[in-house]
Each structure stands twice: as C-alpha cells, then as structure tokens.
C-alpha cells in the first residue's frame, strides 16, 4: 500500500465519519442526553465515543442486511451510556474543592496523645491544693459549688486556686497558652 493510497483511504474514512455525524448526530445526541440525565457534556462525550466505535468498525456500517446505520449507532451509544452509568456508580462520588475547604479538620491522634502527656506532667508540678481544684473543676466537670463542698473550702477559694493553677500551667506550657484561657 502506497502513501497516496493511505491518505486517500484516510480522507475517505474521515468524510464518511463526518457524513455519519451530520446525518445521525442529532438523534444520537438526543438519546444520549436523555440517558445522561440531561448532562450535555457527558452526552457529547458519548456521541464522540460512539462515532469512534463506528470508525473502528467500518464493516458494521457497510453491512447489507440493514437499510440504515442509525439503529447500530443508537444501540452502541445506549450500551456506552449504560457502561458509563455503571462505572460512575461503582466508584465513590467526586468531591469538589469547596467541600474540602469547609470540611472540619480533625487533630492527629498522635498530637493529642502528646498534648495529654504534656498536660499530665505540667499538672504534677502544681501544689497539691491547686491540683485538687483543677481535678475537680476541669477534669471531673464539677461546678465551683460542688468542688467547694467536696474539698471543704469556700467557693471563693476554689475560684482563686483555679485561677492561680491555670496561670502556673500557662508558664509551664507556653505552647498551649491559648487552650488554657
């Protein structure tokens, strides 16, 4: 086969494909648009893929047992649409950038464990009176009145010791100062 014969057959195939597009493109697009739930981009992609299949199988287009190639094109397009729908359902939905930007950021478990160890060590440096107040109010969740009753001291003393305990922790844990306010 010479180069001239190859060019001639290629241009003939391109002309046949362009003729298929002109003659059957609109009905094919309408069908695929319905099968794509109105997604024009997806329907256009499916039309293009259908025409690529027609180009890859010219023997199907030249068969003498049917009058028009439209049924063949519509069948191929429908099967491609079904395959595309199945493929989309098989993989998880895509997430846009807007969803990722508004997603809540969770702290790393290792960071939280390290912070817990740091706080435990810092609490050990407090006086026993300050430590008791912090344990009651912050770790056990007792109110000032409940902590005062449990420790046998006035509520004002609970408030004062909690204030000075947090202040001491801020000095020992400078990186956590914002969390201790």
């Amino acid at each position: 086969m010479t180069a001239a014969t190859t060019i001639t057959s290629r241009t003939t195939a391109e002309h046949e494909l362009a003729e298929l597009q002109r003659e059957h493109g609109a009905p094919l697009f309408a069908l695929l648009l319905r099968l794509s739930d109105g997604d024009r981009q997806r329907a256009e992609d499916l039309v293009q893929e259908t025409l690529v299949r027609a180009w890859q199988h010219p023997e199907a287009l030249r068969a003498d047992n049917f009058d028009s190639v439209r049924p063949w094109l519509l069948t191929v397009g429908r099967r491609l649409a079904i395959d595309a729908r199945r493929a989309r359902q098989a993989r998880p939905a895509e997430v846009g950038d807007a969803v990722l930007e508004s997603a809540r950021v969770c702290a790393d478990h290792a960071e939280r464990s390290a912070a817990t160890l740091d706080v435990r060590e810092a609490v050990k440096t407090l006086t026993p009176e300050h430590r008791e107040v912090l344990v009651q109010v912050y770790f056990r969740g007792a109110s000032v009145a409940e902590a005062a009753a449990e420790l046998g001291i006035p509520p004002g003393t609970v408030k004062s010791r909690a204030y000075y305990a947090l202040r001491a922790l801020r000095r020992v844990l400078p990186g956590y100062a914002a969390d201790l306010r």
Side-chain angles (χ1 to χ4, degrees), residues 9 35-36 44 50 53 65 74 77 86-87 89 98 110 112 118 123 156 158 166 180:
S9 65
L35 294 176
S36 301
E44 289 172 0
T50 302
R53 298 284 170 96
N65 56 354
L74 295 177
R86 286 180 182 157
Q89 290 172 347
R112 185 173 179 176
D118 290 344
V123 169
V158 171
L166 289 176
L180 295 174

Side-chain angles (χ1 to χ4, degrees), residues 67-126:
D67 297 331
S68 175
V69 296
R70 186 174 291 177
W72 185 88
L73 288 171
L74 295 177
T75 301
V76 170
R78 183 170 100 18
R79 289 180 181 165
L80 289 171
I82 291 169
D83 290 345
R85 181 179 298 247
R86 286 180 182 157
R88 280 191 315 278
Q89 290 172 347
R91 65 177 175 250
E94 295 178 5
V95 177
D97 292 338
V99 174
L100 293 177
E101 290 172 2
S102 65
R104 192 170 61 97
V105 178
C106 297
D108 185 18
H109 179 68
E111 289 179 23
R112 185 173 179 176
S113 297
T116 301
L117 291 174
D118 290 344
V119 171
R120 281 186 184 173
E121 291 301 315
V123 169
K124 288 179 185 177
T125 65
L126 298 174

